[in-house]
Amino acid sequence: MMKILVCIKQVLDSDRPVRIHSSGKWIETDPHGLYRMNRFDEFALEEALRIREAFPGTWVDALSVGPERAAQTVRRALELGADEGIHILLDDERYRMPWETASRIAAYAGNKGYDLILAGVMAEDDMQGQVGPMVAEIMGYSSATAVMSEKLIPDDNRIYVERELEGGHREAFALTLPALLSVQSGINRPRYPALSHVLRARSQKLITIAAKTWNPPAPRDHVVCLVEPAPVKSSVFLSGSPLEKAEKLVKILRENAWL
Amino acid sequence: MAMMRCRDNEIMVVAELLEGRILPVTHEVIAFALALRGGDSQFIRMIVPGRDIQEMANELADAIGIDVIALEGDHLDPYNAEAWKMALSALLAEWNPRYVCIPHTSLGCDFAPGLAAGIEASCITAIEGVCNREGLITFTRSIFNGKVMMQVASDADMTVLTVLPGVFKAEEKFPTFPDHKKGRVEVVRVPEVLQKTRVLGMIRAEERDLDLSIADVIVSAGRGIGHEENLALIRQLAGLFSKSAVGCSRTVCDLGWLGYKHQIGLTGKTVSPKLYIACGISGAIQHVAGMSGSKYVVAVNKDPGAAIFQMADVGIVEDLTIFIPLVIDLSQTDPHSPA
C-alpha cells in the first residue's frame, strides 16, 4: 500500500490588505481570520487524491506546520478527502524560515515510511519555494520541483515526472521512490469537497503535535525586516468618476498615437 | 594550475547552460556577485558544470576575465538534480566560499534549496537586491505578490543565493586586476555514481504563436478579471489597437481560461511592447519578470495595493467590468465631435 504525505500551508487570503507587524519581522495577524489553504498546495493535495483513485488502498496524510489557526486548513484537507490530518502546532505567529519548517516536517515524517511526499511549488505568502526540496534533502528522498505531470506504474519503484522549464519546455525524469515532488500550479483542476468528506471531517480528530516536541532546528538565516516596496516608476493614478478616468485614459492613448 | 583555496570571502557563481551555450542570466548573476563584492572581481569564481566543457570554460575565462572551475562529469549533462547536488556539495566543501550564487530559474530553483540543506548553508531565494546595513549584508526579495519586500540575512558560514533574472544588468567585461587579465581554469572531474534520478530527456513546447513577441500593444488579463466571460472585454479592448495581442498571468492559464501560449512571465514569454495594459493583474514578480521591458504600462485593478501599480506609468483603481466598456465606447467615438 502506497503512503503519501501532502505538505500544506495556511496563508492569508490574498485579497486581504497586508500590514507589516510592529516588530517589522512579519505581517499583522488578520483580525477577521481570513486564512485559507495555499493555492499551490491545493494542486499537490488534488494530485495525491488522484493517485489514490488510480491506486485504491493508497493512504493520504495532509500535514501543516503553523499556529493554532492552521488547524482549519488541515481540516479543509480532510474535507477535500485526505485520510488523516496532522498539525505541527507552533506556539506563536512568528514567521519561520523554510529551513525551520522543513526540519520539523522531516522530524515528523522521518520514520513514517512515506513513499511519496507532495508539496506546492511555493507558498503564496513568503514565496520561498524551499521547504519541499529541503525536506527531500533531509530525508534522502529523490526530488523534482515544478512538476507538471507524474505517472506511477504498478510494481515499478519509480515515479515518472515532467518538470516545467522556461518557455513552456519540460524535462522528464524517472525518480526512484521514495520521492518528493513540488507540483506546479495547473498540473490538475483541484476539486470541491464532497459532502460525505465534509461530514466525516467534522467529527474526525486531527493529530496535533506540539512543535516543541523536537529540539528546535538551529536557524541558518533570519528576517531582518519587512519594508514597503519602492515604486519602480512614478505612476500617475487617474482620478474622478469611472467615466472621467476612462476619458483621461483614452486621451493618453490618443496623445501617444496608440489609438 | 594550482590555485589558492579557502578564501572565506569568495563568491562562486554556478553557470547555467543550454545546449552548450552559457545563458545570459549567468552574466546577470556575475553582475550581482560583483555588487555583493563591491565591484571587486578578484574573489569571484564561476563553476561550469557539464560534460566536455573545458574548451568552453577556457573561452569564458578569457572573455569574462574571472576564474572558472570546469566541473566535469558525464552525468552532469543533461541536468540531473541529484548528480548536481552531489558534485557541487563536494566542491563547495573543499573550497568553502562565503556565497554561492545561482540563477533563480527553473533549474536553479530545483537544486539550490536541497544543496543548501545538505551542506548546512543558508538559502535565500529570488533575490532582487542587496544592501549593507551597518555591516550586516541583507538580501531583498518580494513576498505577497510584491506587496511587501522582505530583507533576509544569513547566520551560516556559507550562503546559497538564487538571483532573480532581469534585475541585475549583465556586463560584457568585468574589471580585473592588472596581472590577472584572463581568468584561470581548473578542471575538476566528478566520478559517476549510481543515481536514483534518471534523465529521460527534454520535451519541447509546441510551436507558439508569434503574436505576443511582435505586438506593439499587449492587453493582459490576471485573476482579477474575475470570470472567464470577462475575457471578451479584454479581447475587445485589444481589438482597438493595431498590432495587438492578448496576454495573461499564469493563474489565468491554470484556471483554463486561456492557453499557456498566452502566458507572460518567468515560466512564460518575455515581452517588451510599446504599450502594456495590465487588467486585474496583481503584479507578482513571476509575471513582472516577463513584462518589465514594456515601454509604457497602464494598470487597471480594483485593489489599490496591487504591486502592479509600482511599475505602472498610469494606474486606474476601478472595477474593470465597468471601466473597460467605458474605454471601448469612448475610443470608438470621434474625438473631434462634441461630447
Side-chain angles (χ1 to χ4, degrees):
Chain A
M1 187 188 80
M2 176 119 132
K3 246 181 113 175
I4 303 178
L5 177 69
V6 185
C7 304
I8 55 175
K9 183 178 188 180
Q10 188 184 50
V11 296
L12 182 69
D13 192 80
S14 49
D15 295 336
R16 304 291 303 167
V18 179
R19 271 186 292 272
I20 298 172
H21 187 264
S22 57
S23 70
K25 308 280 188 194
W26 191 231
I27 57 155
E28 293 275 5
T29 303
D30 187 66
H32 305 288
L34 287 171
Y35 292 89
R36 58 167 169 76
M37 191 185 298
N38 174 35
R39 289 208 175 95
F40 295 103
D41 300 339
E42 290 178 356
F43 292 102
L45 179 57
E46 175 64 32
E47 203 61 21
L49 299 174
R50 288 180 187 205
I51 293 172
R52 190 179 62 190
E53 281 157 11
F55 298 90
T58 298
W59 183 266
V60 177
D61 281 347
L63 174 150
S64 188
V65 180
E68 202 144 344
R69 57 177 163 78
Q72 301 161 18
T73 295
V74 180
R75 198 160 292 286
R76 174 74 182 171
L78 293 179
E79 290 176 355
L80 287 162
D83 293 298
E84 193 93 78
I86 299 131
H87 182 192
I88 311 289
L89 177 62
L90 298 172
D91 283 341
D92 54 61
E93 291 272 347
R94 253 182 335 110
Y95 174 70
R96 300 321 199 268
M97 295 303 284
W99 167 250
E100 298 171 68
T101 304
S103 301
R104 291 187 165 111
I105 295 172
Y108 173 80
N111 57 359
K112 302 289 186 297
Y114 290 110
D115 304 288
L116 186 62
I117 302 180
L118 299 176
V121 74
M122 66 168 143
E124 289 171 81
D125 55 3
D126 65 359
M127 306 173 83
Q128 296 269 16
Q130 296 194 43
V131 171
M134 280 184 165
V135 169
E137 189 68 25
I138 301 168
M139 298 183 58
Y141 281 30
S142 42
S143 77
T145 59
V147 170
M148 279 303 271
S149 92
E150 55 73 26
K151 196 165 90 184
L152 286 157
I153 297 168
D155 305 317
D156 186 345
N157 71 332
R158 281 170 292 194
I159 186 164
Y160 296 83
V161 303
E162 290 175 19
R163 58 181 303 272
E164 186 183 59
L165 306 177
E166 281 74 13
H169 303 301
R170 294 179 181 191
E171 53 190 4
F173 297 93
L175 306 178
T176 304
L177 296 172
L180 181 144
L181 313 181
S182 88
V183 304
Q184 177 60 287
S185 59
I187 186 176
N188 53 40
R189 262 335 141 72
R191 68 192 63 192
Y192 290 99
L195 184 61
S196 59
H197 289 310
V198 173
L199 294 174
R200 178 179 58 85
R202 212 173 277 171
S203 56
Q204 189 173 345
K205 270 214 150 99
L206 305 184
I207 299 176
T208 304
I209 302 168
K212 58 188 174 212
T213 305
W214 302 285
N215 288 331
R220 296 175 175 183
D221 27 42
H222 68 276
V223 173
V224 177
C225 61
L226 301 190
V227 289
E228 304 279 351
V232 179
K233 290 181 177 176
S234 48
S235 67
V236 178
F237 279 94
L238 301 185
S239 58
S241 69
L243 181 61
E244 284 163 350
K245 289 177 188 170
E247 285 168 349
K248 286 175 185 169
L249 178 62
V250 169
K251 187 159 174 277
I252 292 169
L253 297 177
R254 286 195 167 129
E255 280 168 1
N256 286 284
W258 287 316
L259 274 178
Chain B
M1 192 185 294
M3 270 186 257
M4 294 259 294
R5 293 289 157 101
C6 304
R7 288 187 292 207
D8 61 2
N9 45 6
E10 191 160 85
I11 300 177
M12 287 187 164
V13 171
V14 183
E16 183 161 340
L17 286 76
L18 185 68
E19 286 157 358
R21 292 181 60 85
I22 200 125
L23 289 176
V25 68
T26 301
H27 293 263
E28 296 179 19
V29 179
I30 294 171
F32 164 80
L34 216 46
L36 185 56
R37 265 320 263 129
D40 180 356
S41 70
Q42 196 188 5
F43 298 105
I44 301 173
R45 206 177 290 268
M46 177 152 59
I47 305 172
V48 187
R51 181 208 309 246
D52 301 331
I53 36 147
Q54 194 174 349
E55 198 177 320
M56 195 181 80
N58 285 329
E59 282 170 24
L60 274 172
D62 282 358
I64 303 176
I66 64 173
D67 292 346
V68 176
I69 296 172
L71 192 59
E72 280 265 7
D74 284 348
H75 55 308
L76 298 178
D77 180 29
Y79 168 74
N80 177 326
E82 192 186 348
W84 275 48
K85 281 187 287 187
M86 208 176 282
L88 284 169
S89 55
L91 185 76
L92 295 172
E94 190 185 341
W95 286 77
N96 202 26
R98 179 79 186 87
Y99 296 108
V100 183
C101 305
I102 298 168
H104 188 78
T105 51
S106 180
L107 185 138
C109 295
D110 192 55
F111 73 87
L115 174 69
I119 56 175
E120 294 183 30
S122 155
C123 187
I124 304 170
T125 54
I127 293 169
E128 294 167 53
V130 52
C131 57
N132 189 331
R133 295 166 59 103
E134 294 157 5
L136 180 69
I137 306 291
T138 66
F139 300 95
T140 310
R141 52 189 307 283
S142 287
I143 58 174
F144 290 94
N145 276 346
K147 283 184 179 179
V148 183
M149 307 299 290
M150 174 192 253
Q151 297 201 347
V152 185
S154 169
D155 300 314
D157 293 336
M158 201 188 296
T159 305
V160 173
L161 306 166
T162 69
V163 180
L164 200 72
V167 179
F168 295 90
K169 202 174 170 300
E171 294 176 54
E172 287 294 308
K173 181 91 185 170
F174 294 91
T176 51
F177 281 78
D179 61 338
H180 190 216
K181 289 191 184 65
K182 286 181 176 181
R184 292 169 296 184
V185 175
E186 178 166 331
V187 180
V188 176
R189 277 180 222 288
V190 188
E192 179 146 14
V193 282
L194 198 64
Q195 306 291 328
K196 289 187 289 179
T197 303
R198 196 154 55 89
V199 181
L200 300 175
M202 180 103 140
I203 302 152
R204 305 218 152 261
E206 56 204 90
E207 243 355 273
R208 280 154 183 265
D209 289 12
L210 289 172
D211 292 4
L212 279 177
S213 34
I214 57 163
D216 283 342
V217 178
I218 293 176
V219 181
S220 210
R223 179 189 278 269
I225 66 166
H227 299 283
E228 188 173 0
E229 300 84 78
N230 293 334
L231 275 177
L233 287 176
I234 305 295
R235 291 199 179 94
Q236 278 178 51
L237 182 58
L240 299 176
F241 307 94
S242 54
K243 261 184 107 176
S244 65
V246 170
C248 66
S249 69
R250 180 173 188 102
T251 328
V252 168
C253 302
D254 291 342
L255 288 164
W257 294 351
L258 279 173
Y260 284 95
K261 67 183 181 185
H262 292 278
Q263 188 199 336
I264 292 166
L266 266 190
T267 53
K269 263 210 151 30
T270 300
V271 296
S272 47
K274 291 177 181 150
L275 171 64
Y276 192 90
I277 306 181
C279 303
I281 283 181
S282 66
I285 195 73
Q286 284 77 2
H287 180 75
V288 168
M291 52 67 74
S292 58
S294 304
K295 311 293 176 295
Y296 197 91
V297 177
V298 174
V300 188
N301 200 309
K302 63 184 172 195
D303 175 5
I308 191 73
F309 289 127
Q310 294 157 25
M311 51 119 34
D313 295 276
V314 169
I316 298 129
V317 181
E318 206 60 68
D319 180 343
L320 50 86
T321 58
I322 296 167
F323 182 72
I324 293 177
L326 290 170
V327 173
I328 293 168
D329 275 359
L330 285 169
S331 61
Q332 285 166 339
T333 57
D334 181 353
H336 303 295
S337 72

